Amino acid sequence: MAHEIHSRIGNDMGTANALYGLGEIYRAQSRHREAEEAFRKAHEIHSRVGNEMGTANALHGLGEIYRAQSRNREAEEAFRKAHKIHSRIGNDRSVKESGGGEAFRKAHEIHSRIRDDMGTANALDGLGLIYHAQSRNQEAEEAFRNAYKIHSRIGNDMGTANALRGLGEIYRAQSRNREAEEALREAHEIQSRIGNDMGTANALHDLGDTYRAQSRNREAEEAFRKAYKIHSRIGNDMGTANALRGLGEIYRAQSRNREAEEAYEIHSRIGDDKGTANALLALGELHRTQARNQEAEKCLTQARHIFSLISDDLGTGNTLRSLGSLLIERRQDEEAQSLFCQALSAFNRKGASFSRAQTLPLLASTYVIKGNPLEAEESLNEALIIGIQLNDGRLQAPPLELLSVIFASKSKYSATLAAPLHAGAACERTGDANILRGAALHDQGKAFLVQSKYGKAEEAYSLAQTSFSRAGDARGEASALRSLGTLYTLQRRFELAVNRFVQARSISAAISDYDGELMALGCLMGARLLQRKRAGLRSYCVEALKIYDRTQWSGSK
């Protein structure tokens, strides 16, 4: 081999160039561990002999390897160093190919100007990765989407699959799980078709994370197992450990201790700090669910320390939340409250709205315990708004449940109801939080009604009516009143039903909502028929026909 010959005759430059070539070959074969080792050795030799061009090229190769393994922070650092060297020595072409966000933007401009489709798409991929690492998800999505279009148009399957994986990760970060699954399935199909084992395994791992986020544990376990087998076969220790971490999360949910501990052991052995911290977090959560609190605290404290060292805000926030939950179980409410606030700050830095929504009800529970319902309501409103924004029922249920407890408390009901709503920036972005809460409560009432949970349905509809009333949303209030009337009709509480339908009709008439008024009249007729009280039916019919004629006439004018 050229590498061996050059080494034997002491030709440093030749050895370094041969190592760089080896790195490129290994990278094309997705043998990332060998590629990294080759590029690293090439970098060491070029640096020692003062060959700046070779040093920069080796750094760029390392950046590509890190990027393929989603080691985005290391990739960005390598690209920045390469970019700095290329800029200093005046290598314009290579300046375009390295250097983080600004360099990728410049590369995109240059490639677009000279109509180099492949270069443009690759620069967009790089931008997407940088934006994603910075939690600038909207810009990342746009970059990956444009890259996907170009790669698809020019028939670059590998590029298409990588752009799809990028889109899948962005969708998953925003809890857009259906879109994430669709993108990642397509990426997996392409990678499988072209025989790229590493790409296939990575897509499977991302699919596993997407399934796990939806509590589809059987599908998640299958995806992680397939990813584990591929990574093991091609000798990718990092991928193997990450797949085991995913399996560890599933095992934690199923209280399968030994498998979760195995993931931690592998990450520790290969020196993967992030993987080790995630495995410790999973173990800590597992021990907590088994009431092994001392072991849980030890694991979580270690995880927190590692996440802090590597500046991982999401991991830090998740660990702080778990530690806070542990303290609540010990009735150390003030300490728990402090940890939840720190967790929210970490999630803010990361832009992790899903994790904020999971943490806010826990913070609210500490306010309730301390007798501060207004502060609790503020946290719950924000959590509810995020849940509605993300269209995720799992995020809406906990704040709704705790809000119901607060409103139902006789000693606090009046003060809470009269209090102004402070939903902060989230409220400003999404409109009136009372309307959003009313809509969510109304939907919850419908769900309870279908399940024949009439008591809970009545409570949800009543709270929805109150929320709409506070917001001045007459249509929403009338709709909630009609739903209450329908519930009472099903329970054969006819007088209450008629009362609600009359109220709903009156509100709809006041705002000239003819559809709402007609629906209320229809409901009144149905209730009277079931009561076998036909006396008022004729008048209801006549009034409904008058409204119908009036709206038909006005529509034909």
Side-chain angles (χ1 to χ4, degrees):
M1 289 179 65
H3 166 228
E4 293 170 354
I5 294 168
H6 286 300
S7 297
R8 195 167 58 245
I9 64 175
N11 181 357
D12 284 339
M13 188 71 80
T15 300
N17 288 335
L19 282 164
Y20 178 81
L22 267 177
E24 287 293 341
I25 291 167
Y26 290 143
R27 184 163 74 89
Q29 296 172 336
S30 297
R31 294 164 64 182
H32 290 153
R33 185 174 56 177
E34 293 100 322
E36 182 179 349
E37 186 179 354
F39 284 133
R40 198 177 289 286
K41 286 180 179 177
H43 174 256
E44 288 170 4
I45 296 171
H46 282 305
S47 298
R48 190 177 70 245
V49 300
N51 179 15
E52 290 192 312
M53 177 75 80
T55 302
N57 288 337
L59 281 166
H60 189 273
L62 280 168
E64 291 291 349
I65 293 301
Y66 296 144
R67 184 168 65 169
Q69 298 174 85
S70 299
R71 294 158 64 182
N72 292 333
R73 184 169 296 176
E74 294 166 278
E76 185 174 358
E77 181 63 23
F79 285 138
R80 284 191 191 283
K81 287 180 179 178
H83 173 253
K84 188 176 180 180
I85 296 170
H86 284 305
S87 297
R88 189 172 64 245
I89 64 177
N91 183 8
D92 291 335
R93 176 177 174 81
S94 294
V95 166
K96 293 188 298 179
E97 295 171 356
S98 59
E102 185 58 34
F104 281 124
R105 277 190 291 276
K106 289 177 181 175
H108 176 234
E109 291 168 9
I110 295 168
H111 285 302
S112 299
R113 192 168 63 244
I114 63 175
R115 297 185 180 179
D116 174 10
D117 284 340
M118 181 72 83
T120 302
N122 286 338
L124 285 164
D125 280 327
L127 271 174
L129 285 166
I130 298 299
Y131 289 145
H132 181 34
Q134 296 170 344
S135 300
R136 294 160 65 181
N137 289 331
Q138 194 170 349
E139 294 160 285
E141 181 179 348
E142 185 180 356
F144 282 130
R145 193 178 293 285
N146 288 332
Y148 167 74
K149 289 176 184 175
I150 297 172
H151 285 307
S152 300
R153 190 180 72 243
I154 64 177
N156 179 17
D157 285 339
M158 180 76 83
T160 302
N162 287 337
L164 281 166
R165 186 188 176 204
L167 279 170
E169 289 182 353
I170 294 300
Y171 294 146
R172 190 157 53 81
Q174 298 172 309
S175 300
R176 295 158 62 183
N177 290 321
R178 188 177 300 175
E179 294 165 277
E181 184 177 344
E182 188 178 331
L184 293 168
R185 277 188 180 281
E186 191 177 345
H188 174 251
E189 288 168 10
I190 294 171
Q191 299 284 20
S192 299
R193 189 179 71 243
I194 63 178
N196 180 13
D197 285 338
M198 181 69 78
T200 302
N202 286 336
L204 281 165
H205 188 281
D206 290 342
L207 274 170
D209 278 334
T210 305
Y211 294 141
R212 185 167 58 83
Q214 301 170 80
S215 300
R216 293 160 61 181
N217 288 339
R218 185 176 297 178
E219 293 163 279
E221 182 173 358
E222 184 182 355
F224 286 134
R225 280 196 180 282
K226 287 179 179 177
Y228 172 76
K229 287 178 182 176
I230 295 171
H231 285 305
S232 298
R233 189 180 73 243
I234 64 178
N236 179 18
D237 284 344
M238 182 73 75
T240 303
N242 284 334
L244 275 170
R245 176 176 59 79
L247 284 167
E249 290 288 338
I250 301 300
Y251 300 146
R252 177 177 65 80
Q254 299 170 344
S255 299
R256 291 156 66 178
N257 293 41
R258 180 57 214 149
E259 294 96 329
E261 287 166 359
E262 184 182 351
Y264 163 64
E265 289 164 5
I266 291 178
H267 281 293
S268 299
R269 190 172 66 245
I270 66 173
D272 171 22
D273 287 338
K274 184 170 183 177
T276 302
N278 276 320
L280 280 165
L281 173 58
L283 267 177
E285 280 288 291
L286 178 57
H287 291 326
R288 190 169 69 82
T289 59
Q290 296 169 339
R292 295 162 61 184
N293 289 347
Q294 198 170 350
E295 294 164 89
E297 185 174 7
K298 182 180 177 182
C299 288
L300 293 171
T301 302
Q302 288 177 324
R304 178 186 179 184
H305 177 66
I306 297 170
F307 281 131
S308 297
L309 284 176
I310 61 176
S311 301
D312 185 325
D313 287 327
L314 186 60
T316 299
N318 286 332
T319 310
L320 287 164
R321 183 178 61 215
S322 294
L323 280 166
S325 299
L326 187 62
L327 291 179
I328 281 186
E329 290 167 16
R330 294 176 176 174
R331 301 185 184 279
Q332 295 174 248
D333 304 317
E334 278 200 31
E335 294 92 331
Q337 190 176 101
S338 173
L339 290 177
F340 291 141
C341 288
Q342 291 176 56
L344 289 170
S345 296
F347 293 139
N348 270 345
R349 291 193 297 272
K350 183 64 179 173
S353 56
F354 185 91
S355 298
R356 275 189 66 79
Q358 288 180 312
T359 309
L360 283 162
L362 294 170
L363 176 63
S365 70
T366 65
Y367 290 135
V368 170
I369 291 167
K370 293 173 70 177
N372 299 323
L374 299 183
E375 290 171 294
E377 187 183 353
E378 185 176 341
S379 296
L380 294 169
N381 283 329
E382 187 180 348
L384 184 56
I385 288 166
I386 295 171
I388 293 167
Q389 283 179 313
L390 298 177
N391 193 26
D392 193 321
R394 293 167 305 161
L395 295 179
Q396 295 172 32
L400 281 171
E401 186 176 339
L402 196 45
L403 279 167
S404 299
V405 170
I406 293 171
F407 285 161
S409 171
K410 290 181 182 177
S411 60
K412 299 166 188 169
Y413 182 81
S414 298
T416 305
L417 197 61
L421 194 68
H422 304 293
C427 179
E428 291 172 14
R429 286 196 305 271
T430 57
D432 196 310
N434 278 312
I435 295 175
L436 293 173
R437 187 169 67 194
L441 286 161
H442 200 184
D443 286 343
Q444 190 182 48
K446 291 175 187 176
F448 286 140
L449 187 65
V450 169
Q451 299 168 43
S452 300
K453 295 179 179 178
Y454 296 143
K456 289 187 175 181
E458 182 178 3
E459 183 180 24
Y461 285 144
S462 297
L463 290 169
Q465 182 203 344
T466 300
S467 290
F468 286 130
S469 176
R470 287 172 69 182
D473 182 353
R475 286 177 191 271
E477 185 178 3
S479 177
L481 284 164
R482 289 196 303 272
S483 294
L484 271 171
T486 302
L487 169 63
Y488 294 145
T489 302
L490 286 171
Q491 295 176 298
R492 306 191 72 78
R493 297 160 70 186
F494 293 118
E495 291 310 315
L496 273 175
V498 168
N499 180 273
R500 296 299 180 271
F501 292 141
V502 168
Q503 282 181 270
R505 182 196 171 188
S506 174
I507 291 171
S508 296
I511 60 170
S512 300
D513 176 13
Y514 299 124
D515 285 338
E517 195 174 354
L518 284 167
M519 282 188 279
L521 282 165
C523 291
L524 276 167
M525 286 186 268
R528 289 306 187 196
L529 276 170
L530 287 169
Q531 282 182 288
R532 302 182 187 279
K533 292 186 177 180
R534 301 177 185 275
L537 282 178
R538 179 178 173 77
S539 65
Y540 291 148
C541 287
V542 169
E543 289 171 43
L545 285 169
K546 285 178 180 177
I547 295 169
Y548 182 75
D549 287 342
R550 189 161 65 248
T551 54
Q552 287 290 93
W553 176 82
S554 111
S556 64
K557 282 280 285 180

